Amino acid sequence: MSNPTVSRIELWHFGAPLPEPFWPSWIPGYPMTENRCTMIRIVDSDGVEGWSAGPELIRERRGLGDVVGLMLGQDATDIDLAQQRLREVGYFGWKNWWIEPAFWDMAGHRAGQPVWRLLGATEGGEVEAYASFGEVRSGSQRIADAEARYEEGFRTVKIRVHEDEDADIRQVTEVAAAVGDKLRIGVDANQAWRVSAFADAPQWDLDRAKRFADVCADIGIAWLEEPLPMDAYDDQAALNEYSRIPISGAELHTGGEPELRMMIERGCYSIYQPDAIFTGGIDQTRRIIAYCKEKGVTYTPHTWTNGVGFAVNLQLYTLSDRDKPLEFPLEQPSWIPECRDAMITEPFIARDGKVQIPEGPGLGVTVSQEALAQYGEQFFVADA
Ligand SMILES: [Mg+2]
């Protein structure tokens, strides 16, 4: 009996409104009013479907159907082939690794198993999460935010710095002094992929990163995330060697497994945070995780895209040693589970700071047809 083939591909723009504008620290001057993504539905010749989603800034993927249509008719069970097609699509433009998890979703539905079991993980249950804030706020506001998350059960939070050096130092020092005795605090500088298209954005160099890492070490910060540009590999390695606290990063490295292996070999970070939506899909990211283990460095994923992206990275997190908490994007009042996960029927929640690993097949989430009808716009559909 031959394998099922890709018989239909559908693409949507999706944009669910946020209750308040969200000001991501990583895009200064840009108020997000919607949670936007491109969604893909792939159906195989047996009628099994798989979904995935990749974040969208505007409508930049309008022409994507012309190239992903090349996957129609191919073996729907062959993930190496899906990887090859996406590699081909990326030669001439941007990477669309976010599509690959749809093939894993199909594989899970075919097998009646969650993806994490297909990946060889044996233990489900619940995992400890950390509250990942997304905006740059004053120390006093952040202290109140951190207290609120502590009351909800979180024991780790991550704050953002993206201003001038004095303001950055003031914020982390105030927050650490107020809540550092009961909460682990990570700090994300969001320097790896600087966006200055909407307002000026700070650009750190190695000296500033060293000064900031020293401050963080002195006040007991748990880790410092992406304090240097994503391709400043030598400087990253120098900082990682210098710093008294772990330096982390690698969330958007679309070079995937080969790029991450190179970074691990060069000692760029102590904690690697690949996000499968960007870092080569589930297959390349699981190899990155295996290489982290081989080299004795820590893995815990970046998850900040949307509910589907969170689900993808949660599946992969089951392969980790679970010694570092999982990122749980949460910024009241704008970036909240109902909006972050608007495209799926059941938002992920953190109960007592813990997130349940789905037992359901595939990615363990169900795309909400209601939300898709309300907030989605189909822009491509083709049959084999
Ligand atoms: Mg980050």
Side-chain angles (χ1 to χ4, degrees):
M1 208 173 71
S2 57
N3 287 334
T5 55
V6 174
S7 69
R8 167 170 276 225
I9 296 175
E10 301 173 16
L11 292 166
W12 278 268
H13 297 299
F14 183 87
L18 305 179
E20 300 276 340
F22 169 64
W23 297 83
S25 68
W26 49 92
I27 312 182
Y30 177 73
M32 276 177 76
T33 55
E34 288 187 332
N35 175 11
R36 286 188 203 130
C37 60
T38 318
M39 298 188 67
I40 191 165
R41 175 177 182 249
I42 302 177
V43 188
D44 77 12
S45 49
D46 292 337
V48 174
E49 66 174 24
W51 287 87
S52 194
E56 193 176 80
L57 187 64
I58 32 180
R59 295 262 164 126
E60 64 269 25
R61 294 206 184 91
R62 253 173 288 206
L64 183 62
D66 295 346
V67 284
V68 299
L70 296 170
M71 297 195 294
L72 286 165
Q74 76 184 39
D75 184 339
T77 69
D78 189 342
I79 287 178
D80 288 344
L81 183 58
Q83 284 269 338
Q84 174 59 22
R85 286 292 166 273
L86 292 172
R87 195 171 287 117
E88 292 165 5
V89 168
Y91 293 149
F92 307 115
W94 66 76
K95 313 282 183 167
N96 282 282
W97 295 123
W98 63 274
I99 290 173
E100 186 258 25
F103 285 86
W104 286 94
D105 195 29
M106 277 192 288
H109 282 283
R110 242 178 253 124
Q113 296 284 343
V115 168
W116 58 267
R117 283 199 198 278
L118 303 186
L119 293 173
T122 51
E123 196 191 342
E126 53 183 24
V127 299
E128 194 190 339
Y130 73 84
S132 180
F133 298 128
E135 296 180 346
V136 179
R137 293 187 178 174
S138 68
S140 56
Q141 180 60 52
R142 267 299 167 239
I143 292 165
D145 298 332
E147 294 277 10
R149 299 294 85 77
Y150 179 82
E151 292 305 319
E152 291 165 7
F154 288 102
R155 293 296 174 263
T156 307
V157 297
K158 184 168 81 189
I159 61 178
R160 309 276 171 166
V161 290
H162 217 62
E163 297 189 293
D164 65 62
E165 190 166 357
D166 289 346
D168 288 349
I169 290 172
R170 200 177 322 121
Q171 191 212 153
V172 297
T173 305
E174 286 174 15
V175 175
V179 297
D181 57 339
K182 58 183 182 185
L183 279 164
R184 278 184 302 273
I185 303 166
V187 179
D188 195 338
N190 284 115
Q191 287 294 314
W193 47 284
R194 174 175 179 256
V195 180
S196 61
F198 303 91
D200 195 20
Q203 179 75 85
W204 294 17
D205 59 12
L206 181 57
D207 285 342
R208 179 165 170 179
K210 281 182 173 176
R211 289 195 297 274
F212 194 76
D214 279 341
V215 170
C216 289
D218 290 342
I219 61 176
I221 295 298
W223 78 95
L224 172 59
E225 191 164 318
E226 302 207 318
L228 288 165
M230 68 197 307
D231 51 3
Y233 307 121
D234 287 341
D235 284 353
Q236 289 164 4
L239 180 69
N240 196 41
E241 174 80 28
Y242 171 87
S243 175
R244 286 172 282 143
I245 61 167
I247 307 294
S248 71
E251 58 197 42
L252 252 65
H253 286 259
T254 54
E257 186 199 1
E259 187 180 11
L260 266 288
R261 284 180 79 102
M262 179 274 290
M263 293 176 73
I264 292 165
E265 280 156 17
R266 287 170 77 158
C268 291
Y269 293 125
S270 299
I271 302 171
Y272 289 84
Q273 300 162 311
D275 183 328
I277 294 297
F278 306 100
T279 56
I282 289 175
D283 195 57
Q284 291 192 52
T285 305
R286 72 161 163 176
R287 294 169 201 275
I288 294 166
I289 298 164
Y291 199 59
C292 283
K293 283 193 178 173
E294 191 184 323
K295 293 293 179 182
V297 293
T298 302
Y299 152 80
T300 185
H302 171 266
T303 69
W304 194 302
T305 53
N306 54 59
V308 175
F310 185 85
V312 167
N313 286 295
L314 176 56
Q315 299 285 334
L316 282 157
Y317 182 82
T318 60
L319 299 176
S320 79
D321 296 330
R322 303 193 188 191
D323 54 349
K324 286 283 179 292
L326 176 75
E327 178 174 41
F328 189 80
L330 182 61
E331 186 72 287
Q332 298 280 5
S334 55
W335 200 259
I336 52 177
E338 305 88 286
C339 300
R340 182 196 64 203
D341 303 351
M343 69 292 297
I344 55 178
T345 54
E346 283 180 54
F348 286 97
I349 52 166
R351 197 169 274 127
D352 286 330
K354 295 189 175 65
V355 174
Q356 195 69 35
I357 296 169
E359 287 288 337
L363 296 174
V365 294
T366 304
V367 169
S368 165
Q369 294 305 313
E370 199 182 321
L372 205 58
Q374 197 173 357
Y375 306 125
E377 178 198 325
Q378 193 179 67
F379 67 95
F380 178 81
V381 55
D383 295 300

